[in-house]
């Protein structure tokens, strides 16, 4: 099974840089990534993939599922500028009587329970929490921990917003509101606010806060700076699923983002190649503001 998966990854790497398309074991996600890059005058010039089997499931009706993880690296050239995009994929491959049949990437957002927005609005503040947001420190933290987990913080199965909160806090965002989970933005003593860990809550908290960490909504992604935040509503149902942080810009000045769930760095902001993407997707572009 491992040998067959190794051959599959070799074909995926070849697909990344090939200008032809075969219907046999073609990965739709890679084709979407290539199409997106082509529309931005870019291309993948080199790719690498390193896989690891995580578990082998119980055989059922001669089919054995295998869970595996792949670390992809894409060297991208866009308008004469090069940058490296990286992504971790969690995948499941099915083998019929020991022979590979198909595989698929897991969708980490498919079955999560979406929480209500907390808080809806924070119009009154009793204290001022003045701070200066250090965008470089936030991005350096995002780069350091994009594919690992800081033991100083609790890790979550859906870790995207927790990771972004850590980046913002490292950049100087002050915690406040403890111990009320529906107020402020904080993680302390093994507990945390909704806004620290839940994407939908952070989406509402940042633009409604008028003290400490806060943000202003802008109309387009090119207005964002490094260290700013993008929120994603994949289904377009009004409840947001995912959060990323801007860690760079492409050759056209559009954001490249880092994220957890699944771990990725320098990924194009629109997530058009994501398994969670739908035509109904909505975004919120939030630029962090401070007291300077």
């Amino acid at each position: 099974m491992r040998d067959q998966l190794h051959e599959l990854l070799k074909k995926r790497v070849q697909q990344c840089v090939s200008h032809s398309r075969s219907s046999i074991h073609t990965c739709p996600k890679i084709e979407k990534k290539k199409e997106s890059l082509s529309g931005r005058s870019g291309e993948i010039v080199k790719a690498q993939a390193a896989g690891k089997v995580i578990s082998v499931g119980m055989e059922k009706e001669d089919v054995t599922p295998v869970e595996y993880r792949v670390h992809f690296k894409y060297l991208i050239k866009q308008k004469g500028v090069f940058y490296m995009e990286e992504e971790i994929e969690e995948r499941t491959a099915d083998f019929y009587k020991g022979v590979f049949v198909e595989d698929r990437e897991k969708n980490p957002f498919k079955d999560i329970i979406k929480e209500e927005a907390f808080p809806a609005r924070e119009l009154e503040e009793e204290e001022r929490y003045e701070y200066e947001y250090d965008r470089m420190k936030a991005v350096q933290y995002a780069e350091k921990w994009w594919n690992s987990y800081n033991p100083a913080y609790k890790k979550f199965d859906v870790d995207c917003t927790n990771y972004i909160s850590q980046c913002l806090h490292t950049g100087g965002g002050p915690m406040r509101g403890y111990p009320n989970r529906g107020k402020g933005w904080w993680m302390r003593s093994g507990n945390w606010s909704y806004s620290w860990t839940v994407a939908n809550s952070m989406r509402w908290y940042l633009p409604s806060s008028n003290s400490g960490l806060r943000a202003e909504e802008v109309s387009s992604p090119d207005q964002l700076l490094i260290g700013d935040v993008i929120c994603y509503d994949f289904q377009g149902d009004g409840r947001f699923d995912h959060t990323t942080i801007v860690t760079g810009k492409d050759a056209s000045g559009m954001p490249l983002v880092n994220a957890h769930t699944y771990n990725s760095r320098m990924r194009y902001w629109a997530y058009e190649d994501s398994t969670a993407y739908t035509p109904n997707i909505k975004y919120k572009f939030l630029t962090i503001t401070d007291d300077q």
Side-chain angles (χ1 to χ4, degrees), residues 117-125 131 168 176 184-185 195 198-218 229-231 240 243 283-289:
F118 290 97
R121 286 286 185 267
E122 290 205 353
L123 300 178
E124 300 294 334
E125 296 293 345
Y131 81 106
L168 298 176
R176 64 176 181 84
W185 174 77
S195 57
V198 179
N200 198 44
S201 299
M202 175 172 277
R203 170 264 177 273
W204 284 105
Y205 174 76
L206 286 176
S208 66
S209 172
N210 58 17
S211 178
L213 181 68
R214 56 196 185 275
E216 293 180 357
E217 184 177 346
V218 295
V229 170
I230 303 178
C231 304
F240 283 71
T243 320
Y283 310 93
K284 291 293 180 181
F285 309 113
L286 303 177
T287 185
I288 304 300
T289 58

Side-chain angles (χ1 to χ4, degrees), residues 212-272:
L213 181 68
R214 56 196 185 275
E216 293 180 357
E217 184 177 346
V218 295
S219 59
S220 61
D222 59 299
Q223 296 176 269
L224 297 175
L225 305 173
I226 64 166
D228 283 338
V229 170
I230 303 178
C231 304
Y232 300 74
D233 173 7
F234 290 117
Q235 299 296 325
D237 60 5
R239 296 184 180 182
F240 283 71
D241 316 85
H242 188 44
T243 320
T244 68
I245 183 169
V246 179
T247 53
K249 294 290 187 78
D250 72 2
S252 299
M254 299 301 285
L256 303 172
V257 299
N258 285 25
H260 277 188
T261 322
Y262 288 134
N263 301 350
S264 56
R265 67 175 295 273
M266 301 293 279
R267 185 174 185 171
Y268 190 63
W269 70 272
Y271 267 61
E272 294 167 330

Side-chain angles (χ1 to χ4, degrees), residues 22 48 58 65 86 94 97 126 130 137 157 225 250:
S22 169
Q48 294 180 350
M58 296 292 294
E86 297 184 65
D94 291 333
K97 295 183 177 180
E126 297 180 357
E130 294 188 359
K137 283 187 177 179
D157 290 337
L225 305 173
D250 72 2

Side-chain angles (χ1 to χ4, degrees), residues 81-96:
V81 177
F82 292 85
Y83 68 89
M84 183 73 75
E85 176 183 338
E86 297 184 65
E87 183 180 1
I88 307 299
E89 291 187 5
E90 305 283 346
R91 306 190 68 92
T92 301
D94 291 333
F95 291 82
Y96 179 71

Side-chain angles (χ1 to χ4, degrees), residues 274-285:
S274 171
T275 54
Y277 180 88
T278 76
N280 298 320
I281 193 169
K282 294 179 181 178
Y283 310 93
K284 291 293 180 181
F285 309 113

